[in-house]
Amino acid sequence: MGRPAEADGGLLADYEFELPPELIAQHPLEQRDASRLLHLPAGGAARDLTFSVLPDLLRAGDLLVVNETRVLPARIRFRLGGRDAELLLLNPTGKDEDSWECLVRPGKAAYPGARLQLRFSLWADVVEQSPGGGRVLRFSPPGRLKAVLPEIGEAPLPPYIKERLNDPERYQTVYARVLGSAAAPTAGLHFTDAMMKRLQTAGIERAALTLRIGLDTFQPLRTKNLEEHRMHSEAYRIPRLTRAAIDACRQRGGRVVAVGTTSARALEAAALKRSRGDLSPDAGDTDIFIRPGFRFREVDLLLTNFHLPKSTLLVMVSAFAGRERVLAAYGEAIERGYRFYSFGDAMLLEPA
């Protein structure tokens, strides 16, 4: 007789926890690597540390894999019918650089055929309504959006951050390079340039990939049974140099350390594709939903922040390190006053 779904972590209710609102970090710390780090070693109790000791927790020969995506200034505020309005760039449609799927508020005024007047002589024509309730917009004049976006756009901070961010660069990693995400790979926000040099000196290598993070990252799960959830799709690319670095890490007996759930998702999506005999380049779109029962093929250690209850990210972390173990560690973090979510503290997880 098999174990019940509750024991397997297959129900949404298995990923609930109570978080005091005051533990939701509203601002980043002044010093990036001054955040706290909860280390969950294999077979051991959770350790209360600071992020600055990370090089001491890794070994020479290990490989950090980071997501070098850069957050797009995707929130554009404007006036519509005498009211404050805003649109959020989600995904390019692929037709050209002027056509995007967006969220528009208020949505009623953004009906197909409407023309939205933005700032800096930028217009947006509403082409159609997308299946998820968004809008497909075509911006004009051609090329104008790309030219003025740094001036009119803002970083789309997660909805649980209520206070203004004075320095937008604090919602970017120090190694952010490839523009295109609607959210930051927040586990990487703790790194400084000095930390990167320390890791290199300690013989810990670094490789990069990109996964374009969408806003669905912040959407809670809504299906009672996890197997009924359909994951959003995100574009990823793992360069050949990164694939070579992973292979070399394996050959020397090192460990692959995924910096963030986005890096882990890209690595595991590519590994799953190869396991099915697909040897095409490590790039494409993935809608992989990593939940209990998933076999990790690539990631040995996972560095991540603390996630929302009933979220796909909490489910992924639980699949990696064990649901009861992870939730117990979350309980300890809450008791010790750790800061949660995007600007919060970090965890270094090893499989049980």
Side-chain angles (χ1 to χ4, degrees):
M1 185 175 180
R3 298 170 64 200
E6 291 85 351
D8 293 332
L11 298 178
L12 178 61
D14 295 333
Y15 300 92
E16 179 66 282
F17 64 89
E18 294 294 330
L19 179 69
E22 62 270 20
L23 295 185
I24 301 175
Q26 294 296 310
H27 298 283
L29 295 178
E30 183 175 347
Q31 180 66 24
R32 289 178 184 257
D33 61 359
S35 57
R36 298 169 73 180
L37 177 68
L38 192 70
H39 179 209
L40 199 58
R47 303 168 63 197
D48 184 13
L49 306 169
T50 60
F51 193 84
S52 59
V53 306
L54 179 66
D56 301 324
L57 302 177
L58 303 179
R59 308 169 188 159
D62 286 347
L63 176 70
L64 286 177
V65 181
V66 303
N67 183 3
E68 62 181 2
T69 188
R70 185 171 179 82
V71 182
L72 193 72
R75 175 169 279 121
I76 301 174
R77 303 181 192 271
F78 63 105
R79 298 285 292 177
L80 180 61
R83 301 171 56 189
D84 289 334
E86 67 176 53
L87 65 83
L88 202 59
L89 302 173
L90 297 181
N91 298 295
T93 64
K95 296 179 181 179
D96 54 54
E97 65 181 12
D98 297 309
S99 183
W100 284 76
E101 181 183 2
C102 305
L103 293 178
V104 184
R105 297 174 182 168
K108 289 183 179 180
Y111 52 87
R115 167 167 274 207
L116 312 179
Q117 182 179 2
L118 310 178
R119 296 182 294 143
F120 287 77
S121 302
L122 180 67
W123 297 82
D125 292 304
V126 182
V127 178
E128 61 183 351
Q129 183 168 330
S130 55
R135 304 291 189 274
V136 175
L137 302 183
R138 183 167 184 80
F139 295 90
S140 61
R144 184 67 176 163
L145 174 65
K146 183 178 181 180
V148 303
L149 188 58
E151 299 294 329
I152 67 172
E154 304 172 20
L157 294 176
Y160 47 75
I161 295 178
K162 308 298 183 183
E163 300 180 20
R164 185 177 181 85
L165 179 63
N166 293 326
D167 180 7
E169 282 300 305
R170 291 309 306 274
Y171 195 54
Q172 306 279 9
T173 63
V174 296
Y175 46 76
R177 189 180 66 86
V178 182
L179 189 65
S181 279
T186 55
L189 295 179
H190 306 282
F191 288 93
T192 63
D193 290 328
M195 166 73 79
M196 289 300 185
K197 292 179 181 177
R198 284 181 57 204
L199 289 163
Q200 183 178 15
T201 300
I204 300 158
E205 297 189 6
R206 177 175 56 138
L209 54 76
T210 55
L211 182 136
R212 191 176 65 222
I213 307 169
L215 287 179
D216 281 342
T217 293
F218 302 113
Q219 297 298 323
L221 285 159
R222 292 187 173 88
T223 59
K224 180 179 178 180
N225 295 299
L226 298 188
E227 64 182 14
E228 297 174 0
H229 177 71
R230 294 297 172 263
M231 195 70 176
H232 59 284
S233 181
E234 293 173 319
Y236 74 95
R237 178 177 177 272
I238 302 175
R240 290 182 179 178
L241 286 176
T242 297
R243 170 50 49 202
I246 293 171
D247 293 341
C249 177
R250 296 292 181 214
Q251 291 175 4
R252 63 176 175 262
R255 301 172 299 177
V256 173
V257 185
V259 178
T261 54
T262 61
S263 294
R265 191 179 189 210
L267 289 170
E268 294 300 333
L272 183 60
K273 186 178 71 169
R274 289 194 305 276
S275 74
R276 294 169 175 169
D278 185 347
L279 301 181
S280 59
D282 290 341
D285 296 322
T286 179
D287 61 358
I288 184 176
F289 181 20
I290 297 177
R291 60 184 189 268
F294 181 85
R295 177 192 168 197
F296 284 82
R297 295 169 171 83
E298 201 80 279
V299 178
D300 299 311
L301 279 77
L302 176 61
L303 181 69
T304 184
N305 280 19
F306 293 88
H307 302 293
L308 292 165
K310 296 184 177 181
S311 65
T312 59
L313 301 182
L314 179 58
V315 172
M316 176 194 290
V317 171
S318 298
F320 181 78
R323 180 180 64 89
E324 293 182 1
R325 187 165 167 253
V326 166
L327 291 179
Y330 269 49
E332 289 189 42
I334 291 170
E335 289 181 4
R336 294 173 177 177
Y338 271 64
R339 303 165 75 244
F340 272 63
Y341 306 158
S342 292
F343 288 140
D345 297 312
M347 295 183 76
L348 178 64
L349 297 158
E350 300 179 26

